[in-house]
Amino acid sequence: METARELFVHELNDMLDAERKLIDALGELSEQSSRPELQKAFASHQKQTEEQARRLEQVFEELDESPEQEECKGIKGLIEEQKTFVEEEDPSEDLRDIFNVGAASKVEAYEIQAYTSLTRMAQELGLRKAKQLLDRNLREEQQTLKKMEAFGKKLKPENPGMEEEEDEMERPKSRRRRAA
């Protein structure tokens, strides 16, 4: 790799793979969700992700380039992390929903950074149309992160598991009171 344009195309390939992987992953998250509002949010984001992949394909057309097979290892790792958690930990529905919202937030943060970099490169390369398309993806990712963060604040575990810790913390205090 010798030029900024080659790096830009490489990064576009990486994000196109990421978006394609996420289309499938979001479908799985929607199916796994126990809450209808989460099912709807993940299904809606899946449709949005399909549009984002189409915009990336448009950027390739603008560049008169064909997408190449590139694996986005970052997104692959985040998807694997979620699958491993569900398979190995067998969480209750409420905890799975909480974890999945957190996993989606991690993905959005990753994508925001990737699109920020791509829009900067498009600007530096004078690729006006490409920058517009990438800016749109970036704005959508930022909006989705805000939605996931809002869900994260609403979701509460049914069993916080704090009762045992609270009991342990109370015992020393009561002993101290008796000693005084």
Side-chain angles (χ1 to χ4, degrees), residues 81-92:
E81 178 182 49
Q82 185 277 337
K83 287 181 180 183
T84 300
F85 174 78
V86 171
E87 290 169 8
E88 292 180 3
E89 300 299 328
D90 191 27
S92 61

Side-chain angles (χ1 to χ4, degrees), residues 68-86:
E68 293 179 12
Q69 190 64 30
E70 180 75 37
E71 182 175 60
C72 181
K73 290 179 173 63
I75 292 297
K76 179 183 176 187
L78 290 170
I79 291 170
E80 286 176 7
E81 178 182 49
Q82 185 277 337
K83 287 181 180 183
T84 300
F85 174 78
V86 171

Side-chain angles (χ1 to χ4, degrees), residues 157-171:
E158 291 173 17
N159 180 4
M162 298 301 289
E163 296 82 16
E164 293 171 10
E165 283 184 35
E166 288 171 6
D167 289 345
E168 290 296 317
M169 292 176 75
E170 290 297 317
R171 282 188 199 134

Side-chain angles (χ1 to χ4, degrees), residues 4-6 8-9 63 120-128:
R5 181 183 167 98
E6 289 172 326
F8 181 68
V9 170
L63 296 172
R120 189 178 315 114
M121 282 192 272
Q123 170 109 24
E124 289 169 4
L125 293 168
L127 304 170
R128 198 171 103 343

Side-chain angles (χ1 to χ4, degrees), residues 68-170:
E68 293 179 12
Q69 190 64 30
E70 180 75 37
E71 182 175 60
C72 181
K73 290 179 173 63
I75 292 297
K76 179 183 176 187
L78 290 170
I79 291 170
E80 286 176 7
E81 178 182 49
Q82 185 277 337
K83 287 181 180 183
T84 300
F85 174 78
V86 171
E87 290 169 8
E88 292 180 3
E89 300 299 328
D90 191 27
S92 61
E93 287 182 346
D94 62 315
L95 294 179
R96 185 179 57 229
D97 286 346
I98 291 168
F99 185 88
N100 286 348
V101 167
S105 295
K106 288 179 191 178
V107 165
E108 295 310 313
Y110 182 96
E111 289 182 294
I112 288 166
Q113 288 308 120
Y115 281 118
T116 298
S117 177
L118 280 167
T119 56
R120 189 178 315 114
M121 282 192 272
Q123 170 109 24
E124 289 169 4
L125 293 168
L127 304 170
R128 198 171 103 343
K129 176 76 174 175
K131 184 181 181 308
Q132 289 173 345
L133 293 165
L134 295 166
D135 272 336
R136 186 156 178 205
N137 283 8
L138 175 60
R139 283 191 306 276
E140 288 175 356
E141 300 298 359
Q142 291 166 333
Q143 290 167 354
T144 300
L145 178 58
K146 286 180 183 172
K147 289 177 189 174
M148 287 297 117
E149 288 172 341
F151 271 119
K153 289 177 183 175
K154 288 182 200 174
L155 299 178
K156 303 291 181 223
E158 291 173 17
N159 180 4
M162 298 301 289
E163 296 82 16
E164 293 171 10
E165 283 184 35
E166 288 171 6
D167 289 345
E168 290 296 317
M169 292 176 75
E170 290 297 317

